[in-house]
Amino acid sequence: MSDPQPVYLSDYQPPAYQVTHTELTFDLDPAVTRVKARLLIERHAEAEASAPLVLNGEHLTLISLAIDDTPLAEAHYQLNDESLRIDNVPAAFSLESEVEIAPGSNTALEGLYQSNGMYCTQCEAEGFRRITFYPDRPDVMATFKVTVIGNATSEPVLLANGNPVDKGTLEGGRHFVTWEDPHPKPCYLFALVAGNLHKVEDHFVTMSGRDVSLQLWVEKENLDKTGHAMASLKRAMAWDEHTYGREYDLDLFMIVAVNDFNMGAMENKGLNIFNSAAVLTHPKTATDATFQNVEGIVAHEYFHNWSGNRVTCRDWFQLSLKEGFTVFRDQCFSADTNSAPVKRIQDVSFFCTAQFAEDAGPTAHPVRPDHFIEITNFYTLTIYEKGAEVVRMLCHLLGWEDFRRGADLYFDRFDGQAVTIEDFVGCMQEVSGADLQQFMRWYSQAGTPEIDARGEYDYVHSTYHLTLRQRTPVTPGQTDKLPLHIPVRMGLVGTKSGQDLALTLEGEKLGKDTVIHLREDEQTFVFTDVAEAPVPSLLRDFSAPVKLHFPYSREDLAFLLTYDSDGFNRWDAGQRLAMLALDDLIAAHRNGVEKVMDGRVVDAFRTLLTGQIDDKAVLAEMLTLPSEAYIAEQQPIVDVDAIHAAREFVRQSLAMELRDEFLATYQANCSDESYAPTPAQIAQRSLKNIALTYLMAVEDEQGVALCEAQFAADHNMTDVRHALTLLVHSDRDDLSTPALKAFGEKWAHDPLVMDQWFTIQVSRPQSDVLERVEYLMQHPAFSIQNPNKVRALVGAFAQNRVNFHRLDGKGYVLLADVVIKLNTLNPEIAARLITPLTRWQRFDEERQRLMREQLERIRKEPLSSNVFEVVEKALA
Ligand code: ZN
């Protein structure tokens, strides 16, 4: 068998044939589901009359084929594993086909499959070709009419996109429902759900006064876990109306929760399908973080109705057109609904850990890739999160008013069309008059740009010279990088006044907080009339997705931590200060020198704990040390043990020096109010729990007692899970074992809570973790076929830095074993799971060798195109 080949953006051709209307009938059965299709097809005006009709189709058993109801003999078409080709078709005709598929044995979870006995679909990106023969590409858009036939007892509920228009009973205990979706859509937005589902119903009156029925469909035992998702949906609908002027366009909007799902959720028209982990919440089973995540994902999928569905992508290279824009929209929504600075801090710290790592590794790719083998490998942090940062920069460059006018133009002009990133940016350029030519490089150039900045204050002339130099590192396949257009939001903070100084640049007065535009490789900005020596506050609010280097002293950082007017940069200054101390400790650990805690970090933390920061959620973030993964990203060669030891040392030193302050903070933020996921309560809980983390860092009697009491009080999952994690991650088995056992027994019936139980124990730093993972893979609550379980157990283990990177290489072997198993069961999940192994270049020689050895072992298998593409890149 030959290796899978890439497709190229530059090879794009418009489709020769359009499908204008699609009629489908599903006769459901786990082993043999019969799918009948009737497609109304028209040749494109510019296509050659001789152009063959080529349809995608995989894992389909063809039963019959006809054109305009005349059966086609086998000689009239060519069929292979991937496609069906018919020559000499008329300019307009109907194509009738019948195929058989087997949803009961579909473990890849693409196309039609079963989850907990219920039927559901996942068609993005190229899953529809596993359902019927079709031009499976997003620039083919049709109206759909779908009839679902199922067993009246096991599938009382039969759902598809749009509105129900007919239903009835059939022979043999079967029944049917027919659905019509009047909005033309690409087949990746098709959805079908059938099973024994129960609904929670609400409604929303749109801004033009239409009453929309909202339905959330779940298994019976989850009916009490739907309230938050429904409330989030209504908030999202209202937000899109007043922020973007966008209204919902059907009479019915449905969300379904399924247990087996490859990703978070899917925006199928009128029928969103959700991973149950991304929709179900209850104070006793879900943490604050889950509540916030659910709100964000519900909003994200809803927002796709305009940014993705009404206006869709011409081809999959444009994926970030819908994903980057929609992530930006959901981030703004969450910022408006919760604490805006905390939302930004959390998003950026995740971004700088995970996306930076991706952009620096062998799978680095631009926000718009120019080739791929397997598109499901490109649902990445770069497409989603960096894509969102690029849209955010556009918004900052234009200002909200022009950005909104650009979005209006985009939605109105391209409604019902499949378009490109140029179309989107073109609208922004058209309404604003801005020149976005150079800006477009953000879409084509991979790698994280780095800015080396330096500044000099001239007392005599009261000027400040700020020099910025940019460079983008080489990434696979891209050696020559051009300078980008980088918006740098900044201020100069006066060291005498502690205030932002008025900025004058080349004679122009710019206020106290401004955006300067870096376009060249190197530029010097000369600020005049600078009354006092300043410390520059650069890249405020993370105004561009870059790494900024400035030779700040620890005194500068302590100063910014207190005086910067930008909350985000105050947090950033604290992180930079902690990083300087951590760097010293990492070096001390490696050199076998005694570790000494930097008193300036202790002082900074004391100031934070006793000072006047009103936003408790921001304060909690500021008290949180950079994660081991974040610290690793800052090191030239990752020394996992030194990083772990250094971070633990800081945590314990702070805990000892500031014990009274942490205790006071803990006590001041305990509350027995009944649980609500409100920003105020969430802020208070996160502050209390970070204080508890420090109190438990030294494991003395008082800290342990507080932690055990919090666990036993069983007030809400946020507090219980946090306390349980601290107990399980402590060195004391007498704390860890009974708590884990009690929790595991209490929640044995709830798969989402058991996922947390798995994750907590395989994230502990103690050296017994590998054996635990092996043991837990045999646990009745684990299943290798369920992506949530794989992520919770094996994925979480691979994030456990000290244990995954054991020097005997057993962590790598375990991961490779699971990847090899999943390569045949679920290639999409297998390909994602390899990620930690692809980062081998970042480690010492011995670990490099061990990691590569496992990649080589995987490569010897007969591989899915998904795993093949990732492993090839990793070993290139
Ligand atoms: Zn999305």
Side-chain angles (χ1 to χ4, degrees):
M1 217 175 76
S2 62
D3 289 343
Q5 295 300 309
V7 281
Y8 292 89
L9 168 58
S10 56
D11 287 345
Y12 175 81
Q13 295 286 335
Y17 294 89
Q18 268 294 336
V19 181
T20 55
H21 182 65
T22 298
E23 289 186 14
L24 301 169
T25 303
F26 291 80
D27 201 348
L28 295 172
D29 179 88
V32 188
T33 288
R34 185 64 72 101
V35 185
K36 287 188 206 170
R38 181 184 179 83
L39 315 180
L40 302 189
I41 297 178
E42 285 174 13
R43 189 184 307 132
H44 196 279
E46 267 131 62
E48 307 264 348
S50 62
L53 175 72
V54 182
L55 304 176
N56 304 100
E58 291 174 13
H59 307 281
L60 305 175
T61 307
L62 181 61
I63 303 299
S64 72
L65 199 59
I67 283 188
D68 293 327
D69 291 313
T70 308
L72 272 188
E74 268 184 44
H76 286 112
Y77 60 86
Q78 287 158 263
L79 183 62
N80 65 30
D81 283 353
E82 298 180 333
S83 62
L84 171 69
R85 175 186 163 133
I86 311 175
D87 283 279
N88 305 313
V89 294
F93 59 101
S94 72
L95 179 80
E96 296 83 26
S97 72
E98 267 187 286
V99 300
E100 285 175 356
I101 52 180
S105 53
N106 179 350
T107 58
L109 315 185
E110 288 181 282
L112 178 69
Y113 63 94
Q114 280 193 298
S115 173
N116 265 25
M118 138 190 162
Y119 294 88
C120 63
T121 54
Q122 173 55 40
C123 295
E124 187 178 4
E126 299 181 335
F128 195 74
R129 60 188 64 185
R130 292 168 183 238
I131 290 177
T132 192
F133 287 103
Y134 204 82
D136 187 0
R137 43 187 290 170
D139 56 357
V140 170
M141 299 169 85
T143 51
F144 279 66
K145 182 174 179 181
V146 177
T147 298
V148 188
I149 303 168
N151 182 301
T153 322
S154 50
E155 293 101 45
V157 176
L158 305 168
L159 309 175
N161 316 83
N163 307 305
V165 293
D166 195 9
K167 65 175 178 188
T169 47
L170 301 166
E171 280 171 20
R174 311 225 4 125
H175 71 145
F176 76 93
V177 180
T178 299
W179 294 79
E180 248 172 26
D181 181 0
H183 298 283
K185 65 169 179 288
C187 63
Y188 82 87
L189 292 171
F190 165 80
L192 173 161
V193 172
N196 188 3
L197 290 153
H198 296 261
K199 74 169 170 227
V200 171
E201 206 162 5
D202 205 328
H203 74 125
F204 180 82
V205 180
T206 70
M207 61 187 183
S208 70
R210 280 189 315 101
D211 200 353
V212 179
S213 163
L214 310 176
Q215 302 178 349
L216 228 154
W217 293 88
V218 297
E219 288 166 297
K220 194 168 186 182
E221 65 268 29
N222 292 325
L223 278 168
D224 62 342
K225 301 192 183 77
T226 56
H228 182 66
M230 184 65 91
S232 301
L233 174 61
K234 293 202 275 182
R235 280 197 291 275
M237 294 178 86
W239 188 90
D240 215 16
E241 291 186 349
H242 68 243
T243 313
Y244 282 88
R246 296 291 132 191
E247 190 178 24
Y248 187 61
D249 54 6
L250 285 165
D251 299 331
L252 174 60
F253 185 82
M254 297 174 283
I255 289 178
V256 184
V258 306
N259 289 332
D260 301 275
F261 202 71
N262 283 346
M263 305 267 282
M266 180 62 212
E267 70 266 23
N268 316 301
K269 184 76 186 191
L271 178 55
N272 288 0
I273 298 182
F274 273 63
N275 186 324
S276 54
V279 62
L280 301 179
T281 60
H282 186 281
K284 291 280 189 186
T285 63
T287 62
D288 289 336
T290 301
F291 272 85
Q292 292 188 318
N293 196 38
V294 164
E295 178 179 60
I297 297 180
V298 167
H300 178 99
E301 306 310 332
Y302 174 74
F303 295 156
H304 268 314
N305 191 53
W306 275 97
S307 48
N309 300 4
R310 291 288 290 248
V311 182
T312 194
C313 301
R314 187 192 73 172
D315 54 73
W316 292 117
F317 298 101
Q318 319 296 326
L319 181 57
S320 195
L321 173 69
K322 74 177 177 80
E323 295 305 347
F325 187 22
T326 304
V327 170
F328 172 66
R329 277 150 55 70
D330 83 56
Q331 288 176 343
C332 295
F333 164 76
S334 293
D336 287 352
T337 330
N338 301 287
S339 160
V342 171
K343 173 68 181 156
R344 190 68 185 139
I345 288 167
Q346 288 171 346
D347 287 345
V348 173
S349 78
F350 172 65
F351 186 83
C352 296
T353 309
Q355 197 281 331
F356 280 4
E358 179 171 283
D359 232 352
T363 59
H365 54 276
V367 171
R368 179 166 57 190
D370 55 15
H371 66 282
F372 59 73
I373 291 179
E374 183 51 64
I375 184 59
T376 56
N377 286 337
F378 285 78
Y379 286 73
T380 60
L381 295 162
T382 300
I383 304 289
Y384 277 67
E385 320 298 326
K386 187 173 182 178
E389 292 302 320
V390 173
V391 174
R392 181 180 294 265
M393 284 192 286
L394 272 177
C395 180
H396 281 306
L397 287 176
L398 269 61
W400 169 252
E401 255 103 79
D402 275 358
F403 181 82
R404 168 66 203 272
R405 291 200 299 127
D408 285 351
L409 178 62
Y410 171 72
F411 288 132
D412 294 342
R413 179 177 290 169
F414 298 116
D415 190 7
Q417 296 185 43
V419 303
T420 64
I421 284 172
E422 278 82 5
D423 292 324
F424 178 74
V425 178
C427 287
M428 297 297 165
Q429 182 154 301
E430 193 173 318
V431 297
S432 67
D435 177 1
L436 299 172
Q437 195 91 11
Q438 186 186 4
F439 186 84
M440 284 300 291
R441 289 177 191 160
W442 279 107
Y443 286 103
S444 56
Q445 226 167 251
T448 305
E450 302 201 27
I451 299 180
D452 289 304
R454 63 204 144 76
E456 216 174 310
Y457 181 61
D458 178 343
Y459 284 89
V460 179
H461 301 99
S462 301
T463 55
Y464 187 80
H465 289 241
L466 179 69
T467 301
L468 304 179
R469 191 173 344 135
Q470 64 164 304
R471 62 196 150 91
T472 301
V474 167
T475 50
Q478 282 191 338
T479 45
D480 299 320
K481 307 283 182 170
L482 297 168
L484 293 158
H485 177 181
I486 305 177
V488 179
R489 213 185 115 194
M490 61 158 300
L492 295 176
V493 190
T495 46
K496 277 204 192 115
S497 59
Q499 303 279 322
D500 278 349
L501 305 176
L503 302 173
T504 308
L505 183 62
E506 284 154 24
E508 201 187 335
K509 293 211 187 313
L510 297 170
K512 294 178 172 181
D513 178 294
T514 194
V515 178
I516 55 176
H517 296 262
L518 175 61
R519 297 168 190 269
E520 313 291 329
D521 285 322
E522 179 173 326
Q523 264 168 272
T524 298
F525 301 85
V526 183
F527 296 92
T528 51
D529 304 313
V530 182
E532 37 178 317
V535 178
S537 166
L538 302 171
L539 210 68
R540 282 181 165 173
D541 209 35
F542 198 63
S543 63
V546 303
K547 289 185 189 169
L548 172 80
H549 309 285
F550 185 90
Y552 287 116
S553 68
R554 295 181 201 216
E555 288 70 23
D556 290 342
L557 293 171
F559 173 78
L560 288 178
L561 181 66
T562 314
Y563 293 105
D564 201 316
S565 63
D566 182 60
F568 175 85
N569 267 18
R570 272 205 307 279
W571 168 81
D572 187 58
Q575 298 288 300
R576 285 174 190 264
L577 182 61
M579 274 309 304
L580 291 178
L582 285 159
D583 280 341
D584 288 350
L585 293 163
I586 289 167
H589 185 89
R590 297 179 67 115
N591 301 330
V593 180
E594 196 195 338
K595 298 191 189 69
V596 184
M597 182 64 190
D598 183 347
R600 283 163 291 200
V601 176
V602 181
D603 291 342
F605 268 61
R606 183 178 292 112
T607 311
L608 290 174
L609 282 163
T610 52
Q612 295 304 317
I613 294 187
D614 321 321
D615 189 334
K616 290 182 176 183
V618 171
L619 178 54
E621 292 297 337
M622 296 183 87
L623 294 170
T624 304
L625 295 172
S627 69
E628 289 181 20
Y630 180 89
I631 301 168
E633 267 325 288
Q634 315 298 312
Q635 313 295 319
I637 286 288
V638 179
D639 182 335
V640 281
D641 302 308
I643 290 171
H644 180 71
R647 190 174 184 277
E648 280 308 291
F649 181 81
V650 173
R651 199 163 74 96
Q652 289 176 3
S653 305
L654 288 169
M656 284 184 296
E657 301 265 359
L658 301 170
R659 173 162 195 86
D660 295 346
E661 287 84 353
F662 284 123
L663 189 58
T665 302
Y666 183 81
Q667 281 159 347
N669 289 286
C670 283
S671 148
D672 45 23
E673 249 183 302
S674 71
Y675 179 92
T678 58
Q681 274 199 18
I682 291 173
Q684 194 170 346
R685 274 190 290 274
S686 33
L687 185 53
K688 175 187 71 176
N689 282 326
I690 186 76
L692 187 61
T693 302
Y694 285 100
L695 291 170
M696 267 295 278
V698 282
E699 291 172 30
D700 67 7
E701 280 318 308
Q702 194 177 15
V704 168
L706 288 173
C707 195
E708 287 196 297
Q710 179 167 318
F711 178 67
D714 194 17
H715 191 275
N716 58 73
M717 184 54 98
T718 306
D719 287 347
V720 169
R721 181 180 168 158
H722 194 84
L724 177 64
T725 302
L726 293 173
L727 295 170
V728 173
H729 292 201
S730 79
D731 278 326
R732 284 176 48 184
D733 281 348
D734 62 318
L735 300 179
S736 167
T737 312
L740 259 186
K741 184 161 179 288
F743 188 91
E745 282 168 7
K746 175 165 186 189
W747 293 107
H749 63 280
D750 188 316
L752 293 177
V753 183
M754 289 308 277
D755 288 347
Q756 305 183 53
W757 185 75
F758 285 134
T759 297
I760 290 167
Q761 46 188 317
V762 302
S763 309
R764 71 202 294 256
Q766 286 75 13
S767 60
D768 65 344
V769 165
L770 183 108
E771 291 72 24
R772 272 184 197 246
V773 178
E774 287 168 342
Y775 171 75
L776 290 170
M777 283 180 70
Q778 311 303 321
H779 192 280
F782 181 77
S783 158
I784 198 161
Q785 296 199 21
N786 176 274
N788 288 357
K789 302 288 165 218
V790 172
R791 282 185 279 257
L793 186 59
V794 187
F797 166 65
Q799 300 302 317
N800 181 335
R801 309 192 61 97
V802 281
N803 280 300
F804 176 63
H805 294 284
R806 292 160 59 119
L807 260 176
D808 62 5
K810 284 188 180 164
Y812 308 146
V813 175
L814 187 151
L815 191 72
D817 285 343
V818 177
V819 166
I820 289 168
K821 271 206 199 101
L822 278 169
N823 172 56
T824 42
L825 290 169
N826 187 332
E828 190 178 327
I829 297 297
R832 284 179 184 278
L833 207 60
I834 311 175
T835 308
L837 283 176
T838 67
R839 307 284 155 79
W840 58 268
Q841 291 99 328
R842 304 280 292 111
F843 296 86
D844 54 85
E845 273 179 35
E846 179 58 8
R847 287 187 172 93
Q848 288 201 5
R849 189 183 65 73
L850 292 165
M851 293 171 95
R852 286 186 62 103
E853 201 171 281
Q854 295 312 309
L855 287 166
E856 307 271 11
R857 181 160 74 92
I858 296 170
R859 187 156 67 171
K860 292 208 184 79
E861 297 285 318
L863 292 180
S864 60
S865 55
N866 310 58
V867 174
F868 172 82
E869 181 172 36
V870 175
V871 174
E872 276 297 295
K873 285 182 175 173
L875 288 171

